[in-house]
Amino acid sequence: MSRNTNDSSKQIFLVIDDHEAILEGTVPALKRTYPSSEILTAKDVQTAQMQLSYHPTLVIIDLSLPAKPHAPASPEVGMQFLKTIIESKLAPNILVLSTNIKPLIQLKPMINSYEGGFAAMDKSLPIQEMLRLIDLALRGSIYLPPQLRSRSEFDRKWLEVLTLKFQEGLTDKAIAERMQLSDRTIRNYWVRLQDALGVYDEPDKELRIQIEITARKLGLIN
């Protein structure tokens, strides 16, 4: 569990990113949503290490960072610094905000046993998604997007529902009969699949089709 509180008056956010445009978008959004919080920024690992002495409640970090001012950014530097934060006694809540989050697969065992909240997202996603994941991290939740999950992390029965629906074209009622489960259980499986895949209602988009598209991208169905 995270040691931190949701009382924004006690929150310190540290945003680590060497892209000025990202800072200019992230920092104002944080100020609007958490007006009583103190927001620190750093563009390199050297500066960020000093800022950690303030014991931030939340660290928002890019995976590609310079080691020091004016040095080139490197994924190796960012990943090593993230690992250092995870292994530290501070255990701040963490949001990874990067153009490539796949390297996090290397740290999955550490992330799954992390004492603080942890979430990750692609920089191309909307600010609103960032704020949603910050809220999850501040509550001590661990969230990894679907592309960082293995097939084994999805319940066998959820996968069977996907197969019966999108490969055999069965209705929910027919799926329930085939699996010898109640209609309500099948509805619950869809909700859990939706959450696990990170698919949410969007205007002008059919939810089930979005679930199918995401499941196929991940290789959960052929």
Side-chain angles (χ1 to χ4, degrees), residues 138-170:
L138 288 173
R139 287 191 275 126
S141 298
I142 302 290
Y143 172 82
L144 291 177
Q147 60 264 44
L148 296 179
R149 302 177 195 161
S150 68
R151 187 185 179 93
S152 63
E153 292 178 74
F154 290 85
D155 188 285
R156 177 185 59 80
K157 291 183 179 180
W158 303 355
L159 299 178
E160 188 175 353
V161 168
L162 286 174
T163 299
L164 292 174
K165 176 66 177 179
F166 299 120
Q167 290 185 204
E168 297 192 28
L170 300 186

Side-chain angles (χ1 to χ4, degrees), residues 43-84:
K43 295 183 179 181
D44 57 85
V45 168
Q46 186 180 88
T47 305
Q49 285 173 327
M50 293 186 290
Q51 302 283 40
L52 285 176
S53 64
Y54 293 99
H55 295 216
T57 310
L58 173 77
V59 173
I60 300 174
I61 183 172
D62 190 357
L63 288 184
S64 183
L65 294 169
K68 57 185 179 180
H70 311 301
S74 162
E76 290 76 18
V77 171
M79 282 288 289
Q80 183 56 50
F81 186 50
L82 175 60
K83 184 178 178 182
T84 299

Side-chain angles (χ1 to χ4, degrees), residues 12-24 26-27 30 39-53 56 58-69 73-74 77-86 90 92-99 123 130 134:
I12 298 175
F13 296 162
L14 172 58
V15 184
I16 311 168
D17 199 302
D18 67 324
H19 293 87
E20 193 68 42
I22 297 299
L23 294 176
E24 289 177 356
T26 301
V27 172
L30 291 174
I39 301 173
L40 309 175
T41 62
K43 295 183 179 181
D44 57 85
V45 168
Q46 186 180 88
T47 305
Q49 285 173 327
M50 293 186 290
Q51 302 283 40
L52 285 176
S53 64
L58 173 77
V59 173
I60 300 174
I61 183 172
D62 190 357
L63 288 184
S64 183
L65 294 169
K68 57 185 179 180
S74 162
V77 171
M79 282 288 289
Q80 183 56 50
F81 186 50
L82 175 60
K83 184 178 178 182
T84 299
I85 295 174
I86 292 174
L90 294 174
N93 302 300
I94 297 172
L95 172 65
V96 172
L97 186 63
S98 187
T99 54
K123 278 184 177 180
M130 179 193 76
I134 286 174

Side-chain angles (χ1 to χ4, degrees), residues 67-68 87 184:
K68 57 185 179 180
E87 291 177 331
R184 181 178 179 179

